Amino acid sequence: MVPKKKLHLNFFDMTCNSAHMGVGMWKIDNDNTSKKDSLEYYIWLAKLAEKGKITGIFFADVYGVDDAFPGQFDAQFKAGSNCAQMDPIVFVSAMASVTKSVCFGITGSTSYINPFVLARTYSTLDHATKGRVAWNVVTSYSTSSAKANGLEKVTAHDKRYEKAAEYLELCYSLWEGSWEDGSKVFDKSKDMAYDPTKIHKINFIGNHHQTSAIAPAHPSPQRTPVIFQAGASPAGKAFAAAHAEAIFVGGGKPSDTIGYVQEVRAAAAANGRDPQHVKIFPQMTPILGRTLEEAQAKYERYKAAADWRGGMAKLSQYLNCDLSKYPLDEPFDVNSIGKSDNAIHAMINMLKRFEGQNITPRIMGEKMAFCGFGPMPVGTPEMVADVMEDWVNNGDVDGFNIAYVSNPESYEDLVELLVPVLQKRGLMWDDYTVPGGTYRENLLSTPGEPLTPAGHPSRNFRYDVLKEKYADANGDITIDKRASEVKEEVKQSEKVVPVVESVVEAPKEVSVTA
């Protein structure tokens, strides 16, 4: 008998003093949306996650308030949607200090953060958390983000991924190639803290990024943090197949997603990677009750609080299409939406599956405000566990990014009601594979192996690989991406098998019934 796959669950949040997914839920009694600017909120979240043996807390992030279309600004602030944004980096160390095993995925943009600075920050966090950090690599799609960072518009879509691939190579060279193993000694007999013969300057000269520096921090427990990514375009999927260790995907049911999973795993294998080293996470928003009636009552209460205007403003930004200019209650032609540089392609693919259905801008706003278009099973823990098990069996997923509707209720229900049922079924661990271990050890179930596995492109930037052709007499490394001839091992990280874009069927609103 094939053993059941152990699911990884991630709490899905954003460090904003507003709604992340459930727009308008602040109006519900006892909802704590308005307290998300406090350290107490994030410490509560971390302790709850560890109590429930949750793998990680994943923080989405954006720069700038959506203001590309008339009325977006007002609608977003009135609804309390993705505004009052704060930096997740600031909270993670405090969260790590009150936990031992739960991990932290933090979004960082390759378009707006200097790569040397990002490499230093994530190394610092990897040290501070004892290896419990992941980097969610994004290229940033919105015009408001570009303007917030001094640009008039976003870089073209595929060019962003080209720049991101080079960005990762620069970071890999710092994390993996600048400090050799054994460089930290603190040996009194040798009068030596660090061995300078094992520390090397990286001269990285790219078409888009460059640095000339020794990596600022000595090797952290993971060296390279776990790499997360989400991308539905051909360029995004190709990037994920080359670099990502965990991928967030769309879809309302397993058949929506299985084609994507098979494509990406096959492309990862063609890149020389173990396809099981690529973990797949769809979003899910379970609404739980001890009885079906209790769960359905929560569903109705949440749905009544959803702010469709805020949802429509948010969706307009994702689609780069001003939905407010269309008649609110007349059918909307989803094929009128074209892909552009400042749009999320996965969301466009999803909505185009509504072709021929009577979907209006108001309905789309309602769905977006009510935690988006992912699956929302409503029922007892046993019913929701059935849905998750179906995803494992028929979607080949490795876990779920769990979006909350209204906290503390949503995540407390998850931990107190659902997790015990998943554990009883053997679908979830009773304890972390490596209690107190690194993110990678627990994600890949590889005790004692915190570094990136064989086949991952970061391994091509270890010093023992780079020195063969790139080291000078002092042992320093110069990688010139503009040169006509580049060492084959380094180029391996760019050898990505083209992936055909998946057609993702639109998810339906899911209510589990007896």
Side-chain angles (χ1 to χ4, degrees):
M1 181 177 177
V2 178
K4 290 183 178 179
K5 184 182 292 189
K6 300 292 186 183
L7 288 174
H8 294 278
L9 301 183
N10 297 318
F11 283 176
F12 190 28
D13 208 335
M14 177 182 281
T15 54
C16 56
N17 197 43
S18 57
H20 174 211
M21 299 295 296
V23 180
M25 300 303 146
W26 59 270
K27 293 172 285 188
I28 294 174
D29 290 342
N30 301 318
D31 179 90
N32 61 9
T33 297
S34 64
K35 298 179 176 65
K36 289 181 62 183
D37 57 354
S38 68
L39 195 56
E40 287 76 14
Y41 174 87
Y42 298 99
I43 286 176
W44 163 80
L45 191 68
K47 287 182 175 180
L48 181 66
E50 184 136 303
K51 177 183 177 181
K53 309 303 180 185
I54 302 302
T55 299
I57 300 172
F58 176 82
F59 288 114
D61 198 12
V62 294
Y63 307 112
V65 176
D66 299 341
D67 62 351
F69 306 115
Q72 267 193 310
F73 182 92
D74 288 351
Q76 188 171 356
F77 277 94
K78 287 180 179 178
S81 171
N82 291 61
C83 56
Q85 302 154 1
M86 294 169 289
D87 190 336
I89 294 289
V90 175
F91 294 104
V92 169
S93 290
M95 298 171 79
S97 73
V98 298
T99 56
K100 294 184 180 300
S101 300
V102 70
C103 299
F104 306 94
I106 308 161
T107 299
S109 175
T110 58
S111 293
Y112 305 124
I113 304 174
N114 176 280
F116 179 87
V117 171
L118 182 140
R120 185 182 72 160
T121 297
Y122 280 76
S123 284
T124 304
L125 279 175
D126 207 48
H127 279 295
T129 62
K130 297 183 179 178
R132 293 186 281 146
V133 168
W135 172 23
N136 178 43
V137 181
V138 299
T139 64
S140 299
Y141 68 93
S142 73
T143 300
S144 58
S145 292
K147 289 184 175 180
N149 285 280
L151 303 176
E152 285 301 312
K153 60 181 181 179
V154 297
T155 303
H157 179 275
D158 288 4
K159 178 64 71 173
R160 294 203 305 271
Y161 276 104
E162 176 187 315
K163 295 173 70 174
E166 187 177 277
Y167 189 114
L168 260 68
E169 290 180 350
L170 189 158
C171 289
Y172 292 155
S173 68
L174 293 170
W175 287 326
E176 302 286 346
S178 186
W179 296 65
E180 295 182 60
D181 292 339
S183 53
K184 179 181 176 181
V185 290
F186 284 87
D187 188 331
K188 293 180 181 179
S189 66
K190 295 180 180 179
D191 194 24
M192 180 184 292
Y194 294 95
D195 184 348
T197 67
K198 293 180 177 293
I199 303 170
H200 313 282
K201 179 179 285 187
I202 300 295
N203 300 300
F204 188 99
I205 308 166
N207 294 299
H208 309 287
H209 307 286
Q210 66 181 49
T211 191
S212 179
I214 293 168
H218 56 294
S220 66
Q222 297 185 116
R223 283 189 177 261
T224 294
V226 170
I227 302 296
F228 278 57
Q229 203 260 338
S233 67
K237 287 189 289 185
F239 184 91
H243 298 279
E245 298 174 84
I247 303 175
F248 301 130
V249 299
K253 58 184 182 297
S255 60
D256 296 339
T257 301
I258 185 62
Y260 178 101
V261 175
Q262 292 170 339
E263 286 179 23
V264 171
R265 292 203 199 280
N271 281 326
R273 301 180 63 195
D274 182 339
Q276 296 308 312
H277 288 167
V278 180
K279 303 301 183 183
I280 308 295
F281 293 85
Q283 179 186 309
M284 182 177 285
T285 311
I287 298 180
L288 294 147
R290 290 171 178 81
T291 65
L292 177 59
E293 291 74 20
E294 181 184 344
Q296 288 177 328
K298 289 180 183 179
Y299 173 87
E300 295 300 334
R301 178 161 50 93
Y302 294 155
K303 189 175 182 180
D307 190 317
W308 65 267
R309 292 178 180 84
M312 193 167 72
K314 183 176 181 179
L315 185 58
S316 293
Q317 190 75 19
Y318 287 167
L319 302 177
N320 191 35
C321 174
D322 183 6
L323 295 174
S324 68
K325 72 179 183 180
Y326 295 91
L328 278 177
D329 297 307
E330 293 184 13
F332 178 78
D333 179 9
V334 294
N335 282 311
S336 66
I337 305 170
K339 292 178 182 176
S340 65
D341 291 327
N342 47 342
I344 297 178
H345 290 198
M347 189 67 69
I348 294 173
N349 293 342
M350 196 178 299
L351 282 175
K352 286 195 173 181
R353 300 305 299 171
F354 281 104
E355 182 180 4
Q357 298 183 39
N358 185 28
I359 187 166
T360 68
R362 189 195 301 270
I363 290 172
M364 287 192 287
E366 289 172 351
K367 287 182 177 291
M368 191 73 248
F370 199 17
C371 296
F373 295 83
M376 182 182 278
V378 180
T380 65
E382 291 76 16
M383 292 174 177
V384 174
D386 287 343
V387 175
M388 289 186 166
E389 192 159 6
D390 180 46
W391 274 89
V392 174
N393 294 335
N394 297 302
D396 192 24
V397 302
D398 299 282
F400 298 93
N401 238 21
I402 303 294
Y404 69 91
V405 187
S406 174
N407 272 335
E409 186 171 61
S410 291
Y411 281 153
E412 288 180 348
D413 283 351
L414 181 81
V415 168
E416 302 295 343
L417 302 180
L418 180 59
V419 166
V421 173
L422 295 175
Q423 290 171 330
K424 185 177 180 180
R425 292 190 184 190
L427 283 169
M428 188 174 170
W429 52 28
D430 293 324
D431 198 1
Y432 296 91
T433 300
V434 185
T438 68
Y439 208 146
R440 190 169 284 111
E441 288 174 289
N442 280 308
L443 183 67
L444 301 183
S445 297
T446 54
E449 299 180 15
L451 306 181
T452 51
H456 192 273
S458 64
R459 296 290 287 261
N460 298 314
F461 291 83
R462 296 301 301 268
Y463 183 75
D464 59 352
V465 176
L466 296 178
K467 70 179 181 181
E468 296 301 322
K469 278 198 172 180
Y470 297 110
D472 61 20
N474 296 320
D476 293 337
I477 298 295
T478 297
I479 303 171
D480 191 345
K481 301 296 293 182
R482 301 170 302 177
S484 59
E485 181 178 349
V486 181
K487 185 172 176 62
E488 184 64 19
E489 285 86 345
V490 178
K491 287 286 284 182
Q492 188 68 35
S493 66
E494 296 177 349
K495 290 183 179 178
V496 179
V497 175
V499 185
V500 178
E501 187 166 7
S502 296
V503 175
V504 180
E505 186 175 338
K508 307 284 192 300
E509 195 170 87
V510 180
S511 181
V512 179
T513 56

